[in-house]
Structures are given as structure tokens and as C-alpha cells.
Amino acid sequence: MTTRRLILTRSAAVIGAASTGLLLPQMAMAQSDKVRVGFMLPYTGTFAQLGVAIENGFRMALDEQGGKLGGREVEFFKVDDESNPAKGIENANRLVQRDKVDVLVGTVHSGVQMGIHKVARDSGVLSLIPNAGVHVATRAQCAPNVFRTSFTNSQPTLALGKAMVDRGHKKAVWITWNYAAGEEAYEGFEQSYTAAGGTIVKKLGLPFPNVEFQALLTEIASLKPDAVACFFAGGGAAKFLRDYAAAGLNKNIQLYGSGFLTEGVLEAAGPAADGVLTTMHYSDALDTPRNKKFRLDYAKTFKAQPDVYAVQGYDTGLLLVKGANAVKGDLSNKKALYAAMEGATIDSPRGQWTMSKAHNPIQDMYLRKVENKENKVIGIAQKAVADPATGCKLS
Ligand code: PHB
């Protein structure tokens, strides 16, 4: 018998057996014996480094399980989303329709996330958000198949206002990129700063991902506030820190930020970042065995220092491992999978956190100060910060 005929004969036998229902479970497993994981992340542009750190962290969590999810091998698919919201839906569909991923891990940029979110809600694919903080994904448009392991955009800045007023900085200028993440970070800042008795003198902005800060810095100098607070991230954050210092503003106007400002950029910013105060759910300097081991392992594996994005990617992996183990790799058992993920406590390098009913972390926010290219922890700015999850009907 030729090989071709042998295969045909065997397939006919398998089909015959399958039609009686005898082989169905094995066949279903054989067809999809690897879990298909899709990364939709920025690998180019101002957030490129963030995407790489997230992927590294995620892979590290799986490698700690021998590279498996609930006992199954894993196959990876990748799309560079370029932080381009216009291509968000199309890129997410590449992974979901073309590559038929079981899990979509992405992304960084809030606008792009909205594309992923539409595809996730329409298709029901498991969507894990390792960074983008866009509120609606875990508020009015929360969904059973969507889990965020990072933050909502206003979580870090909800912890910022009081820290500023406590330091006597009662008149501030706010500056950011004009897109969802900046707007929503402002919401948290406005709420916490005014509640603590601070006054926002002016709100400044520029389009994402522009880095022409000069005119705005000149305006800040003439406004003479006590402090500046901001949201910037990635390559743009490094440039903002350098320009702020080059304009001499760091000498007499204290700079604060949502902690992304000083994540992954301290080498690039150099002394320009010294003394900057931020609030964030992680710090490189957290003095815990968990964080120290994570940092050592990550540095050994990737020959780079981890930052908050690496931690979020790692935690995304930890969450998926918990879910996959609970259903022994059968990700089609969605009820049990989601229940395990919802009830998860993640033993993260950032400190333990739990998942809210709306599928967003409830977590401590640290106050940090940059010293010698490190985010030193000054203290906990606010404990167990939960997003209000307004409009989310999951319970
Ligand atoms: C976002 O667009 O949601 C975003 C991007 C970068 C960050 C944080 C949030 O560091």
C-alpha cells in the first residue's frame, strides 16, 4: 500500500469511528493540541520597548511552567500593532480569524485596545490586557472574556494628588498627550488633587506621539506653578524628562507623574530624571524576595532590566497559567476558566493583587522617587486602589 493510500485508509477509519462519537474528544485535542497565543503589541514606534518587555515577561511566566499551559504546549503568533488605533480591528482580526488564536494578549495603547476590545466582544476570544488602561474595557463595556492585569488609566493618578499636596505643592500644571490614556490619567489626577485642596492652573496637551515640547515648556515657565504633573510613557517620556531638565524647570518646579514617566527610560533620561516623584503599582526597588528573584531571573534571561511593563506581562502569564491549570488545559471550558481567573490572587513582583469583579487589578500604589537611575520607594501612596468599574454588570 502506498503511503498516500495508507493515510486515506486510516483517515476513513478515523472518520468512521468519529461519526459514532467514539473518538471525538481525542480528535478535538489532536486538532488543537497546542494552545495558540497571539501577541498584539507595539514592536515599533514610541512604545516599542514596552511591547518587548510585556512579551518577555509573559514568556518568562510560561517558561517557569516548562513552557506549558495546563499541560499543553504553546504556539505563539505575533502582530506589530504600531500603536496605531486605525489598524486596531484589522490587526486583532489577523490573530483571531487568520491565526485562530485561543488567547489574545494585547496591548499597550488605549486607542488600539478599543479595536481589540470590539473583536474580543464580537468573537468571544479570551482577551488579556497587559497594559492599556482605557477605562471602558473594565467599566461599561466590561466582558466575561476580557481580563486586565495592569491598571485603569486613572488608578495611578488617583494616588498622586494627595502626595503632591502633602509636599506643599498646591498649584499645578497638568501636561500629557491628547488621547484616551492622557485624558483618563487626568481624570484621576483632577479628582485626587482637588479633593486634597490643590488647584490645577492649566491643562496642557499635544497630539500622540508628538515630542515637540518646547512651546509648552516655555508656557509652564511663565505660569510658575508649584509643580507639574503629567502622563507620558516610552520614548516620549524619556524625551520629556530630558527637555524639562534642559529648560531648567527641574531646578524649581517639582515634576510629578503617573509612574510610567520613569519606567524603562532611566538610562535614556540620565540625570534629567533625578528627583522626579511618581505613583505606580510597581517599583524596581521593592525590597521583597519575590521581586528580587523576578528581577534576577529576568535580567539573566533577557540581558535587560525589567520594568513595570515586564511585570505586567509576567502577571498576564501567571493569570493564564492559573486559569489553564484549573481546566487542565481545556480552554473551551470557559465557565471554569473564567471563574479561576476571576478568583485569582496573583503573587506578583509588584506585591499580591486580586482581580476585581470587573476584571481589573485591585492593587497598592507606591510613591517613588528617582535616585541614581532607580525608582526608589518612598512609601505606599494608597493601599488597595480599586477602579470604580462604573457601569460594569459583571458580578
Ligand atoms: C495607554 O495608552 O493606555 C497607555 C500607554 C502607555 C502606558 C500606559 C498607558 O505606559
Side-chain angles (χ1 to χ4, degrees):
M1 204 183 281
T2 64
T3 315
R4 190 176 140 74
R5 274 196 54 205
L6 184 66
I7 290 169
L8 286 175
T9 316
R10 284 206 178 140
S11 336
V14 168
I15 290 165
S19 65
T20 68
L22 287 175
L23 287 183
L24 272 179
Q26 289 95 322
M27 278 193 67
M29 272 310 212
Q31 276 167 7
S32 55
D33 55 349
K34 289 190 178 173
V35 181
R36 300 164 80 85
V37 173
F39 292 117
M40 177 160 154
L41 292 166
Y43 295 106
T44 52
T46 200
F47 291 158
Q49 266 189 40
L50 287 57
V52 172
I54 288 169
E55 181 182 334
N56 287 349
F58 185 91
R59 284 181 182 269
M60 194 171 134
L62 266 56
D63 286 346
E64 290 175 358
Q65 304 294 312
K68 294 195 175 174
L69 279 170
R72 291 168 66 192
E73 302 281 346
V74 181
E75 185 170 3
F76 293 102
F77 299 83
K78 272 167 82 153
V79 165
D80 175 9
D81 69 35
E82 304 163 30
S83 294
N84 183 350
K87 293 194 201 157
I89 292 179
E90 181 191 327
N91 281 331
N93 270 328
R94 277 200 192 145
L95 290 167
V96 174
Q97 312 270 355
R98 182 192 66 188
D99 301 332
K100 311 241 173 308
V101 297
D102 301 299
V103 186
L104 200 163
V105 177
T107 189
V108 169
H109 183 287
S110 278
V112 180
Q113 195 67 47
M114 290 312 293
I116 295 181
H117 200 60
K118 175 163 178 19
V119 171
R121 284 178 18 123
D122 290 352
S123 67
V125 75
L126 176 58
S127 163
L128 304 181
I129 310 175
N131 185 73
V134 63
H135 285 169
V136 78
T138 53
R139 290 193 184 177
Q141 288 184 25
C142 68
N145 57 316
V146 176
F147 292 81
R148 177 152 45 202
T149 56
S150 49
F151 53 86
T152 54
N153 285 320
S154 55
Q155 262 181 316
T157 43
L158 275 173
L160 185 60
K162 183 169 180 308
M164 293 174 64
V165 173
D166 283 352
R167 275 161 188 74
H169 296 139
K170 293 193 180 152
K171 265 183 16 179
V173 167
W174 170 262
I175 179 167
T176 192
W177 279 314
N178 295 327
Y179 83 108
E183 289 299 329
E184 294 178 352
Y186 177 74
E187 263 180 61
F189 171 64
E190 184 184 34
Q191 193 180 319
S192 63
Y193 194 57
T194 54
T199 304
I200 302 168
V201 183
K202 187 128 195 202
K203 189 180 164 200
L204 299 172
L206 72 171
F208 175 87
N210 284 11
V211 290
E212 304 310 320
F213 299 118
Q214 215 46 59
L216 298 170
L217 293 173
T218 306
E219 190 171 349
I220 290 172
S222 69
L223 287 165
K224 296 193 175 52
D226 299 335
V228 169
C230 67
F231 164 83
F232 291 110
K239 170 90 166 36
F240 182 73
L241 289 166
R242 287 196 304 266
D243 288 3
Y244 194 85
L249 296 181
N250 62 337
K251 297 209 177 62
N252 41 28
I253 308 176
Q254 175 65 46
L255 180 59
Y256 289 89
S258 183
F260 308 108
L261 178 66
T262 57
E263 285 297 321
V265 303
L266 294 178
E267 280 301 325
D274 280 344
V276 173
L277 289 159
T278 62
T279 43
M280 175 96 306
H281 44 277
Y282 178 65
S283 164
D284 12 358
L286 281 175
D287 192 11
T288 60
R290 183 75 180 101
N291 187 43
K292 284 186 169 157
K293 176 167 172 17
F294 167 78
R295 297 194 67 81
L296 210 64
D297 291 350
Y298 187 99
K300 262 194 223 152
T301 310
F302 302 108
K303 312 283 175 258
Q305 290 302 317
D307 53 21
V308 73
Y309 308 106
V311 172
Q312 291 167 181
Y314 182 69
D315 288 4
T316 307
L318 294 183
L319 178 71
L320 185 58
V321 163
K322 282 209 177 219
N325 284 347
V327 295
K328 301 197 171 54
D330 179 8
L331 300 191
S332 68
N333 184 356
K334 294 189 177 178
K335 201 159 171 251
L337 175 67
Y338 300 164
M341 291 168 66
E342 265 164 18
T345 296
I346 301 296
D347 185 19
S348 166
R350 71 181 96 165
Q352 286 203 347
W353 60 266
T354 54
M355 191 59 92
S356 76
K357 292 221 160 26
H359 298 178
N360 189 70
I362 300 172
Q363 55 194 335
D364 296 344
M365 288 290 155
Y366 304 99
L367 177 63
R368 306 122 29 108
K369 183 179 192 176
V370 177
E371 273 173 32
N372 301 323
K373 299 190 182 165
E374 200 178 39
N375 285 295
K376 289 263 153 61
V377 185
I378 295 184
I380 295 184
Q382 209 167 315
K383 271 207 89 61
V385 180
D387 186 78
T390 317
C392 176
K393 303 263 176 358
L394 293 172
S395 57

